[in-house]
Amino acid sequence: MPEEILATFQIKRLSVLNENGSADLSLMPELSADEIWRMYQLMVLARCFDERAVSLQREGRLGTYPPIRGQEAAQVGSAFALKASDWVFPSFREMGAHLTLGYPIPQLLQYWGGDERAQKTPPDLNIFPFCVAVGSQIPHAVGAALAIRYRRDPAAVVVYFGDGATSKGDFHEAMNMAGVYQLPVVFICQNNQWAISVPLKGQTASASLAQKALGYGFEGVQVDGNDILAVYRATLNALEKARSGAGPTFLECLTYRMADHTTADDAGRYRSDEEVALWSGRDPILRLERFLAASGAWTPEQGRVVKDEAIALIDRAVGEMEAAPHPSPAELFDGVLATLTQRQAEQRKGR
């Protein structure tokens, strides 16, 4: 039998704004000036939340916290494309997505302060709880997509994870199932170059993470994750595809974790100042400011106003979080068992 080529493949890479903020107008998504400005406000809010959370942790007012600095575009841009009927499965570093979807800021702070009541998602939001165990939320998201298929709901699922999760078995099992059943799920990998202290080259020999989708029978796209317009466009396309019954998509948002993995980490021990400086020049907020400024839609004074408003909003949230009464021990039993045994009922009453 002669040798033959069974298949060839290509991976697309999408970028709308370059590092100087210049746009490829042929790729511009359909967004109004007000919508783009709202994206900017949300990225600034996410950055200010992040800075305040790190500060609160250093003061002993929050527990260990995972900074998102540098990843605001990947989170805000993707969440901005969602409909209220879609479902979101986060990992532990998606505070920008939570803020974009309207998750209460005091509740986000409560979670990082160790208060599990923060995991009770408001009833008007389709967001599953934070998932610290790396990659374990990905099969759950695929299960939800299967439920959507059975119920014939006009919705899609988005699941967030980092580059490190692509080395986990949960990731591969979920990708395989999504491909076999062509489920309405969008896999959003925030490739921030580091899985704690393990660089990307220690995770894979592939030219991209996006190409992993091809092995499971569906499309993978690499996106400039520091370009909020590109992230929005790619996510919107993937969601529309999923809702129409055309199957899953894997989006690799190429970005950078500009801070430590968590406040318990010291990234200076394993990466160079030169690398950090290079990516700092690609700051997603700075890039959008340059784009807006080119059309006269942004000035430094306007930027200060947006930041001041964000800080004031976070200040109020911190006050609300710290003024919240301590939970009752009886709440340990709530939402765990459908029916309490006699012994458990007595324990709940404090006997």
Side-chain angles (χ1 to χ4, degrees):
M1 181 176 180
E3 185 179 87
E4 60 181 310
I5 297 173
L6 294 178
T8 60
F9 68 88
Q10 293 180 328
I11 295 295
K12 297 177 183 176
R13 186 177 189 276
L14 177 63
S15 177
V16 177
L17 297 179
N18 66 20
E19 293 178 21
N20 296 320
S22 298
D24 182 336
L25 298 181
S26 68
L27 295 173
M28 278 290 292
E30 293 184 8
L31 288 164
S32 67
D34 287 344
E35 287 173 320
I36 295 175
W37 186 255
R38 181 57 182 156
M39 284 180 162
Y40 172 64
Q41 290 176 314
L42 287 165
M43 280 208 293
V44 172
L45 177 62
R47 177 71 57 89
C48 291
F49 176 91
D50 199 55
E51 291 172 348
R52 188 62 184 278
V54 171
S55 177
L56 289 169
Q57 192 281 328
R58 299 305 189 203
E59 294 167 6
R61 295 158 72 185
L62 290 184
T64 302
Y65 173 81
I68 67 168
R69 185 180 183 88
Q71 298 179 220
E72 295 90 354
Q75 297 184 13
V76 174
S78 55
F80 206 84
L82 289 161
K83 291 183 178 180
S85 57
D86 296 326
W87 289 86
V88 177
F89 286 75
S91 64
F92 56 86
R93 200 189 300 274
E94 277 74 45
M95 280 67 76
H98 280 79
L99 292 168
T100 300
L101 295 170
Y103 207 91
I105 301 176
Q107 217 169 319
L108 283 178
L109 291 167
Q110 271 186 317
Y111 176 77
W112 295 110
D115 190 335
E116 283 297 318
R117 289 176 296 179
Q119 289 278 52
K120 186 178 181 181
T121 304
D124 58 331
L125 296 177
N126 293 344
I127 307 175
F128 269 64
F130 284 105
C131 185
V132 176
V134 176
S136 63
Q137 78 280 14
I138 308 176
H140 301 163
V142 171
L146 184 61
I148 286 173
R149 168 70 56 77
Y150 279 133
R151 293 170 53 169
R152 302 182 186 277
D153 289 344
V157 175
V158 161
V159 57
Y160 290 98
F161 50 93
D163 46 290
T166 64
S167 293
K168 301 285 286 185
D170 285 341
F171 165 80
H172 294 279
E173 292 173 16
M175 292 274 283
N176 188 57
M177 183 173 177
V180 168
Y181 293 102
Q182 289 294 287
L183 296 174
V185 57
V186 180
F187 299 89
I188 298 183
C189 176
Q190 295 178 81
N191 179 2
N192 65 17
Q193 313 300 312
W194 291 91
I196 309 182
S197 60
V198 179
L200 182 63
K201 64 182 180 182
Q203 293 290 341
T204 182
S206 300
S208 71
L209 295 177
Q211 71 194 64
K212 293 182 183 292
L214 302 178
Y216 297 109
F218 57 92
E219 183 182 23
V221 179
Q222 189 179 85
V223 186
D224 185 338
N226 285 9
D227 174 357
I228 192 168
L229 300 182
V231 173
Y232 171 80
R233 178 188 172 103
T235 308
L236 186 68
N237 290 343
L239 286 167
E240 290 174 349
K241 175 181 166 185
R243 295 189 203 105
S244 71
T249 305
F250 180 100
L251 300 179
E252 177 190 3
C253 294
L254 203 60
T255 183
Y256 192 74
R257 193 194 77 214
M258 292 203 289
D260 298 324
H261 173 69
T262 70
T263 48
D265 177 42
D266 178 8
R269 298 177 63 184
Y270 52 80
R271 64 184 189 187
S272 68
D273 292 340
E274 291 77 15
E275 178 181 301
V276 176
L278 174 66
W279 280 93
S280 294
R282 300 168 179 168
D283 187 304
I285 295 177
L286 179 60
R287 187 181 302 194
L288 188 59
E289 286 175 346
R290 288 169 175 165
F291 168 73
L292 292 168
S295 62
W298 182 90
T299 65
E301 177 57 32
Q302 288 173 303
R304 283 191 290 272
V305 170
V306 170
K307 185 174 182 179
D308 288 345
E309 290 174 347
I311 290 172
L313 191 62
I314 294 163
D315 284 345
R316 290 195 295 272
V318 171
E320 287 182 43
M321 181 267 291
E322 296 191 323
H326 292 297
S328 165
E331 292 182 25
L332 287 170
F333 296 89
D334 295 344
V336 178
L337 299 170
T339 305
L340 299 182
T341 65
Q342 180 179 351
R343 173 62 175 155
Q344 289 164 343
E346 290 175 353
Q347 288 178 323
R348 192 182 190 285
K349 293 177 181 179
R351 295 176 182 172

